[in-house]
Amino acid sequence: LTGEPGEAQPEADPAPSPAFRLPLRNVTNANILSCLTQERKLSPSLVNFFIAAGDIYEDSSHHNVVFVGRDADGHPRYASSRGIQEKFRQDVAGAEKAFGFAHRGTDKQLLVFEAPIDLMSFCTLHRQMRSNAVALCGLYRGPLDNYLRENPHLKQIVLCLDADGPGQEAAEKFLDEYTQEGYAVSIQIPAQGKDWNEYLLRRSSEERRRKNGER
């Protein structure tokens, strides 16, 4: 996907305020690599790209995957931990929710997701990282507003929220609001499943069955 090596470990990043500290990094990312590529079926090269950038890593205390959100200068302002062995999700103390997990692309389109896993699943499915992308870490529009404010050249928004009631209700609301603000807005939902990772898992399962000659 990226052609980038993924083993480099970035140095510790400066914190924006005394209240915010990124969790300590583990010496390896082996546990999250296994979870994200084997269980979640994300592209290994994509996962290694984000690891090399320091935007995801394995914490040393609980071996959770940490997703990092940065400001326009590249400084960490947000982080969320997600368990790989159990259902656990928590924002890091002092994190600023307006700075969501994101990928800064090269085109003029911004893809919007509910969760970092969905953002990465979409990139895996479509085998491209040209587009800008941001995860709201829920349905809070703060990260979207902030990303647009930091990138005023972006005029196209694609809402890739979950294909469930709350996700599509929010998508319709955002479509109306941002269209009124002058953006070209569209909605895209996964062809199968509730969200983009569920769609990726189904696609992976179908491909495995085809290779094995199963129906």
Side-chain angles (χ1 to χ4, degrees), residues 87-103:
K87 290 186 178 181
F88 170 80
R89 186 182 304 168
Q90 185 177 67
D91 290 349
V92 172
E96 298 177 63
K97 290 185 72 69
F99 296 89
F101 178 83
H103 169 65

Side-chain angles (χ1 to χ4, degrees), residues 79-90:
S80 176
S81 295
R82 179 164 184 159
I84 60 174
Q85 300 296 334
E86 58 185 20
K87 290 186 178 181
F88 170 80
R89 186 182 304 168
Q90 185 177 67

Side-chain angles (χ1 to χ4, degrees), residues 106-148:
T106 56
D107 66 16
K108 296 182 179 180
Q109 180 173 252
L110 176 60
L111 308 174
V112 183
F113 301 88
E114 290 191 31
I117 291 288
D118 292 317
L119 185 159
M120 298 173 71
S121 297
F122 185 97
C123 291
T124 297
L125 284 160
H126 292 83
R127 301 181 183 276
Q128 66 96 353
M129 295 184 68
R130 297 183 302 276
S131 297
N132 296 268
V134 63
L136 305 181
C137 295
L139 293 171
Y140 169 55
R141 62 176 279 174
L144 173 53
D145 287 336
N146 189 64
Y147 197 94
L148 292 170

